[in-house]
Amino acid sequence: MKKAGVSKRTRRIAACGILSALGVICLSVGSLIEVMDLTMIMIASFCIVFAVIEMGKRWAWLIWGATALLSLLLLPNKLAALLYLMGGMYPIVKSTLERLRPLFAWAGKLAAFNGVQLVFLLIAQKLFGMSGPDYALTWGVVLFNNVLFILFDITLTVFITFYLVKMRRRLKIQSLKD
């Protein structure tokens, strides 16, 4: 169905560009103001949430990839870009895992997060030579990161519910799914 002579595919491509640019802007702010890097990564991942809901997973992967690549190329502080590269795809993974029973979904989410956490720490230590207490894999760090991850997942669920129940109708957004 065409709207004002513009095809759905064209609108999807435009939305991908806008969401990727918005994600890069968020990551840039996080890169420049280092105490906000994790917060801005979380906000940038909301662009992926919107894409999963309105366009589907295939387009969400495209937005994640474009945002990660542009961030790695453009940001002065590569840590925010690397963190987004490792964790920015979580809303897509979440949408897949939440089709399972809750216990299996949480087990899958925690396994995915801890796998990404381990890979990130290994990359940070071996490839980039980052060391010290911030990059040590200790039980305290792992436990704290898992608590933060669970809070992030709950926040994401609240955001998704709010968007679907309240905002989607008010914004009158038409789905761009196939």
Side-chain angles (χ1 to χ4, degrees):
M1 178 178 173
K2 291 188 178 187
K3 181 178 180 178
V6 178
S7 72
K8 191 179 270 192
R9 182 176 175 84
T10 303
R11 291 185 9 224
R12 276 190 229 134
I13 292 170
C16 283
I18 291 168
L19 291 172
S20 295
L22 187 58
V24 171
I25 290 168
C26 290
L27 293 173
S28 297
V29 171
S31 177
L32 295 173
I33 306 170
E34 289 185 21
V35 295
M36 291 186 61
D37 56 354
L38 293 177
T39 303
M40 296 313 283
I41 291 166
M42 185 173 136
I43 292 171
S45 71
F46 289 152
C47 296
I48 304 298
V49 170
F50 179 79
V52 169
I53 293 170
E54 298 300 341
M55 294 185 284
K57 292 178 191 172
R58 184 176 60 158
W59 292 91
W61 281 113
L62 180 66
I63 293 167
W64 168 78
T67 304
L69 180 63
L70 288 170
S71 297
L72 284 169
L73 293 173
L74 300 175
L75 296 185
N77 181 357
K78 303 298 185 206
L79 182 60
L82 185 60
L83 286 169
Y84 181 80
L85 178 68
M86 301 299 284
M89 84 291 257
Y90 178 68
I92 305 167
V93 174
K94 176 180 172 68
S95 72
T96 302
L97 290 174
E98 287 194 342
R99 294 174 189 217
L100 304 172
R101 291 184 178 174
L103 182 62
F104 295 119
W106 275 106
K109 290 176 191 180
L110 288 170
F113 171 73
N114 284 303
V116 166
Q117 179 177 216
L118 179 64
V119 169
F120 172 76
L121 289 173
L122 290 173
I123 288 172
Q125 290 173 347
K126 304 294 182 198
L127 194 61
F128 294 111
M130 297 176 177
S131 60
D134 291 342
Y135 299 99
L137 189 59
T138 62
W139 288 110
V141 170
V142 171
L143 181 64
F144 181 71
N145 288 345
N146 275 279
V147 169
L148 288 178
F149 169 73
I150 291 169
L151 291 174
F152 172 65
D153 184 84
I154 292 168
T155 303
L156 209 54
T157 301
V158 169
F159 174 78
I160 292 167
T161 305
F162 176 74
Y163 174 74
L164 289 173
V165 172
K166 297 278 185 184
M167 296 305 297
R168 194 175 194 197
R169 277 185 308 195
R170 288 186 182 164
L171 296 174
K172 297 179 182 173
I173 295 174
Q174 294 178 354
S175 178
L176 295 173
K177 286 188 178 180
D178 293 327

